[in-house]
Amino acid sequence: MTKIVIIGGVAGGASAAARARRLSEDAEIIMFERGEFVSFANCGLPYHIGGDIQDRSKLLLQTPDSFLARFKVDVRVMNEVTSINRELKTVTVKNLLDNSEYTESYDFLLLSPGAGPIVLPIPGVQNPLTHSLRSIPDMDRILQTIETNNVEHATVVGGGFIGLEMMEAFHQRGIKTTLLELADQVMTPVDKEMAGFAHSEIRNHGIDLRLGVALSGVEYVPETHIASEDAGENTQHQHINGHLNLTLSNGESLKTDLLIMAIGVRPETTLAKNAGLKIGDLGGIWTTPNLQTSDPAIYAVGDAIEETDFVTGEQTMVPLAGPANRQGRMAADNMMGRSESYQGTQGTAICKIFDLAIASTGKNEKQLLRDGIDFEKVYVHTASHASYYPGAEIVSFKMLFDPKTGKILGAQAAGKDGVDKRIDIMAVAQRAGMTVEQLQHLELTYAPPYGSAKDVINQAAFVANNIINGDATPIHFNEIDQLTDNQVLLDVRNPAELENGYIAGALNIPVDQLRHRMHELPKNKEIVIYCQVGLRGNVAYRQLVNNGFTAKNLIGGYRTYITAKQ
């Protein structure tokens, strides 16, 4: 009889336990969790704080009793594994309720310890009003501070998923909020020009967004209030709360009632290191494609491990629930005698920012530049469904690809409707090995309420293939402000559109007048064309090059150019 010991519940560990039981009724399965909760929806925590998920119990996916009843798994919460003896194949466990210790043997051991929040050594950050969010107890402490401290202003440090979700949660509760982000953009999985849509949305909701600013110091100022317990009696009690004075890297200061540290997570590798297991170059637990560690009897999954990047084949760390769940299932398969290989992580993710959704898959431009990978990019801004049907919203879509092979390297999208659908399609296309040439032929559902006859993805593929085939010569938003005297900037929008913004120094000839006004343009200079989103610019480009001009079209048009500056 096989005995499997699992360290850590939540996504990877719980998935492995359930899968192992489905494969074998005889296996002995023990799962240790040092916290109080074995399987909870940690991605849902900010939405309970904000009030979208009102019932706290909805976050508890499984309890020890329910796991035992359904899967015959011995779940031991408040039991922390403190060490691993690989030679004896045992673990030492501390019962956190009575501080007793005992050992448990295993045939296979699964490490699913997850990752913990990064806490920078900022002076004064250890105080009662500063919190991080990774667990149910963390959530409860934040809610308690909101209830007892009369929080009127909150500060969130970090513009990643948790930081953005907490920002929105506070806003929904009517709490004024400041968001600090050291980088020049929020949500680093997307590139800065795509993050510009998020910046606009955040500021439009009254959030005090400060980019390029770090927290450098915290001063806790306690306040003691004397409150009467009963109006009819003289009994009183003391209630201690207070506020924080924050010092920022730009020399400014800020007073706040609640501080959330959401600057990222670090893999929990203490057990693995102490057991002598191999740690990867990025700091996560090293694993083979079948999720074995350097000890064949020990497997590891989830946020604590290094995994293969689907695009580059290099090692990466992507703390997402989807990969952790799939890895847990595969590790269980392999412990039960099967042979499953993890096929790599694309990093497909989406974030809700008020009414906006931003999503991505694969590599972003920053990563491709860092790794020296050749790429081209296209942008399209088009309706989520037929524009004449009510409710259509603009989907802003960026696609990165190899200009020689057409291999899909990554995709990003922002908008209020249909963003998840487009990125999910791109994630599937990328995993299937499709090229941008093949994307032209995708046949997607179309009816006016749901899509367009030429979908966003089809249109992006058309633009990409125009570039690959030499039918279009692109110029990008980051090149526009460095034009030379040998280039002429041409705005082919209608004059009325210029009232909503334009690029300084551009000559305006509407595209529908261009054939009759080409003589106004010099043939000895390169014509750089732009319109609102790039579509009319392409029409103008073809007219000009077919008439002997040298030209380039601003891909994504003025919308991409101006959003990059947000």
Side-chain angles (χ1 to χ4, degrees):
M1 183 176 69
T2 302
K3 183 175 181 180
I4 297 173
V5 168
I6 298 171
I7 301 174
V10 195
S15 295
R19 176 63 173 173
R21 174 59 69 222
R22 289 195 296 272
L23 294 178
S24 170
E25 190 63 22
D26 299 326
E28 183 181 358
I29 306 171
I30 303 173
M31 183 157 56
F32 293 107
E33 172 56 54
R34 64 186 174 191
E36 183 182 350
F37 305 97
V38 64
S39 181
F40 62 92
N42 51 1
C43 295
L45 302 179
Y47 298 105
H48 178 60
I49 294 173
D52 292 311
I53 301 172
Q54 296 192 359
D55 187 351
R56 178 179 178 275
S57 67
K58 298 284 188 185
L59 299 172
L60 306 177
L61 305 179
Q62 292 279 359
T63 66
D65 289 341
S66 69
F67 242 112
L68 180 63
R70 179 166 295 183
F71 297 111
K72 203 172 72 171
V73 172
D74 180 2
V75 176
R76 304 179 191 176
V77 295
M78 303 302 291
N79 276 252
E80 181 176 9
V81 176
T82 56
S83 65
I84 301 167
N85 188 321
R86 290 166 53 194
E87 290 184 12
L88 298 178
K89 283 193 169 184
T90 62
V91 294
T92 301
V93 187
K94 181 177 183 180
N95 185 321
L96 299 179
L97 297 178
D98 60 14
N99 288 326
S100 62
E101 280 195 349
Y102 61 97
T103 60
E104 196 71 59
S105 64
Y106 64 83
D107 294 315
F108 291 108
L109 179 64
L110 177 67
L111 303 180
S112 181
I118 295 173
V119 180
L120 295 179
I122 298 171
V125 77
Q126 300 291 342
N127 64 74
L129 302 181
T130 297
H131 303 278
S132 57
L133 181 64
R134 280 296 278 183
S135 66
I136 296 265
D138 290 341
M139 178 188 74
D140 292 339
R141 284 189 286 269
I142 292 169
L143 287 170
Q144 184 179 23
T145 298
I146 291 172
E147 295 302 322
T148 60
N149 199 39
N150 188 29
V151 173
E152 296 180 355
H153 183 277
T155 300
V156 178
V157 181
F161 292 104
I162 295 294
L164 292 169
E165 289 161 0
M166 286 304 302
M167 168 201 73
E168 183 171 352
F170 290 141
H171 181 270
Q172 286 187 197
R173 295 184 70 107
I175 298 171
K176 293 180 180 177
T177 306
T178 295
L179 178 63
L180 305 177
E181 171 53 60
L182 177 59
D184 61 356
Q185 66 166 93
V186 301
M187 201 174 172
T188 53
V190 303
D191 292 309
K192 185 177 185 297
E193 71 276 15
M194 299 301 289
F197 294 104
H199 299 159
S200 296
E201 185 77 3
I202 291 166
R203 292 183 174 118
N204 288 342
H205 279 80
I207 302 296
D208 175 23
L209 174 62
R210 306 193 189 189
L211 300 172
V213 177
L215 178 66
S216 56
V218 182
E219 179 193 12
Y220 171 50
V221 182
E223 298 169 0
T224 302
H225 295 285
I226 306 297
S228 173
E229 288 186 353
D230 190 324
E233 300 178 13
N234 292 325
T235 57
Q236 294 179 329
H237 71 282
Q238 284 190 341
H239 181 59
I240 300 176
N241 48 29
H243 68 269
L244 302 172
N245 292 326
L246 308 181
T247 304
L248 309 182
S249 59
N250 59 3
E252 297 178 356
S253 59
L254 185 66
K255 178 182 175 182
T256 195
D257 305 311
L258 172 61
L259 179 63
I260 300 293
M261 299 298 292
I263 55 176
V265 295
R266 182 177 286 120
E268 179 49 71
T269 58
T270 304
L271 269 178
K273 284 180 179 176
N274 291 343
L277 296 177
K278 182 178 179 180
I279 303 299
D281 293 338
L282 301 179
I285 301 171
W286 177 90
T287 59
T288 65
N290 67 356
L291 300 166
Q292 281 176 306
T293 67
S294 52
D295 184 327
I298 303 177
Y299 290 74
V301 299
D303 295 356
I305 74 167
E306 293 186 9
E307 55 219 340
T308 302
D309 184 289
F310 180 80
V311 178
T312 66
E314 302 294 326
Q315 292 300 100
T316 187
M317 296 190 68
V318 184
L320 292 172
N325 273 281
R326 296 196 303 280
Q327 290 162 6
R329 175 188 172 92
M330 291 178 182
D333 280 354
N334 294 333
M335 287 187 286
M336 300 308 294
R338 299 192 177 188
S339 181
E340 293 284 343
S341 293
Y342 185 66
Q343 301 296 313
T345 297
Q346 293 164 274
T348 308
I350 189 167
C351 188
K352 175 184 180 294
I353 305 172
F354 299 110
D355 297 326
L356 190 75
I358 297 192
S360 63
T361 192
K363 309 303 287 182
N364 60 40
E365 187 172 338
K366 298 185 293 287
Q367 293 165 333
L368 295 173
L369 288 169
R370 179 196 66 199
D371 296 340
I373 297 173
D374 190 27
F375 70 93
E376 184 54 90
K377 57 186 177 181
V378 295
Y379 303 87
V380 294
H381 307 277
T382 191
S384 57
H385 60 249
S387 56
Y388 55 81
Y389 186 90
E393 298 283 356
I394 296 294
V395 175
S396 294
F397 184 83
K398 176 180 183 178
M399 183 169 67
L400 298 148
F401 59 96
D402 185 311
K404 297 183 179 67
T405 66
K407 176 184 177 181
I408 300 165
L409 300 175
Q412 303 164 29
K416 297 184 178 182
D417 179 56
V419 166
D420 53 343
K421 177 166 80 168
R422 272 67 187 206
I423 293 300
D424 283 343
I425 292 169
M426 291 301 299
V428 173
Q430 184 180 60
R431 190 163 286 270
M434 294 180 67
T435 64
V436 293
E437 194 278 329
Q438 292 170 318
L439 285 182
Q440 297 178 107
H441 307 292
L442 282 185
E443 188 174 330
L444 305 174
T445 55
Y446 166 56
Y450 301 109
S452 301
K454 288 190 293 187
D455 189 77
V456 177
I457 291 174
N458 297 127
Q459 294 203 35
F462 296 154
V463 179
N465 282 280
N466 281 342
I467 294 172
I468 290 174
N469 295 331
D471 294 330
T473 304
I475 190 169
H476 293 296
F477 69 92
N478 51 309
E479 303 172 82
I480 293 296
D481 292 338
Q482 286 85 41
L483 297 184
T484 69
D485 292 339
N486 293 320
Q487 295 170 300
V488 173
L489 186 59
L490 175 65
D491 186 337
V492 296
R493 298 176 299 165
N494 295 322
E497 296 177 71
L498 275 59
E499 296 177 8
N500 295 319
Y502 57 89
I503 302 174
L507 175 66
N508 178 226
I509 303 178
V511 66
D512 293 338
Q513 301 176 18
L514 185 58
R515 277 191 180 87
H516 308 293
R517 296 179 59 183
M518 281 186 191
H519 62 275
E520 298 177 27
L521 298 172
K523 277 202 168 182
N524 62 342
K525 293 188 177 184
E526 182 178 79
I527 312 300
V528 175
I529 310 159
Y530 81 92
C531 65
Q532 189 63 22
V533 299
L535 186 60
R536 287 172 290 176
N538 183 60
V539 173
Y541 170 88
R542 294 309 311 169
Q543 287 183 25
L544 289 173
V545 297
N546 287 341
N547 282 277
F549 287 86
T550 301
K552 289 179 179 175
N553 181 31
L554 175 59
I555 304 298
Y558 182 73
R559 182 177 174 89
T560 298
Y561 172 83
I562 201 65
T563 304
K565 297 179 178 293
Q566 298 299 310

